[in-house]
Amino acid sequence: GEVVVHGQNPQNGPWRIGLNKPIDDSLAVNQELQAVLQVTDLGMATSGNYRNYYYKDGKKYAHTIDPRTGYPLETGLVAVTAVSSLSTTAEIWSTIAFFNGAQATEQLVPPGLKIGFVFISGQRTVQLSSNLADAFELVDDSYRVVTPD
């Protein structure tokens, strides 16, 4: 999903944008929050494989296709949220980051591009870009924030 926020909220503070808990929910019935980002004048986008998927013979097949294999992407991530001044930039980079993971994505971001990421793994860990640390609030204590190795 994508969202754009501009200016202050009605209480004259930053907007509080909830990140859904990335659990298998193809009907988007579960709207539990995993985290909140407090931001303004930014676009956000999340890519993940917890909404669009199906099971066949006990194996999960998600909608993100790995162009190297032609099969659904298999990754340890369940979601990546990107935050940038433009929502289109956030949308593009959330997909790139979901495909490549935190470490490789860090190497791919061009110098000068102001963008932040929230990487959520299937092991219930969250890794943040340093520029989002002050804006991030974990609201589900079944997850834990980790720092890069």
Side-chain angles (χ1 to χ4, degrees):
E2 303 81 23
V3 68
V4 175
V5 295
H6 181 69
Q8 303 292 311
N9 68 23
Q11 291 77 35
N12 291 318
W15 293 97
R16 293 177 49 84
I17 307 300
L19 303 180
N20 282 116
K21 189 185 298 187
I23 57 176
D24 284 355
D25 183 19
S26 64
L27 300 177
V29 172
N30 187 342
Q31 296 295 316
E32 291 180 62
L33 293 184
Q34 186 240 355
V36 173
L37 282 172
Q38 296 187 59
V39 294
T40 189
D41 298 326
L42 294 170
M44 296 172 51
T46 299
S47 292
N49 280 337
Y50 57 97
R51 291 273 203 260
N52 297 316
Y53 62 91
Y54 69 94
Y55 283 95
K56 182 176 180 183
D57 299 328
K59 182 170 173 58
K60 181 179 178 180
Y61 292 91
H63 77 288
T64 306
I65 303 300
D66 186 336
R68 299 168 297 192
T69 66
Y71 289 97
L73 178 66
E74 294 187 21
T75 176
L77 296 171
V78 291
V80 176
T81 297
V83 180
S84 183
S85 60
L86 296 173
S87 63
T88 52
T89 301
E91 176 66 27
I92 291 165
W93 278 95
S94 69
T95 303
I96 291 170
F98 187 75
F99 188 90
N100 289 288
Q103 213 168 24
T105 298
E106 186 178 307
Q107 303 301 313
L108 293 171
V109 174
L113 179 62
K114 294 181 181 176
I115 192 161
F117 298 98
V118 179
F119 293 89
I120 303 169
S121 80
Q123 291 74 43
R124 294 183 176 257
T125 62
V126 178
Q127 185 175 330
L128 307 171
S129 298
S130 59
N131 59 344
L132 293 180
D134 290 340
F136 183 84
E137 175 188 348
L138 189 63
V139 296
D140 181 341
D141 62 5
S142 70
Y143 289 79
R144 61 187 173 85
V145 176
V146 297
T147 54
D149 295 334

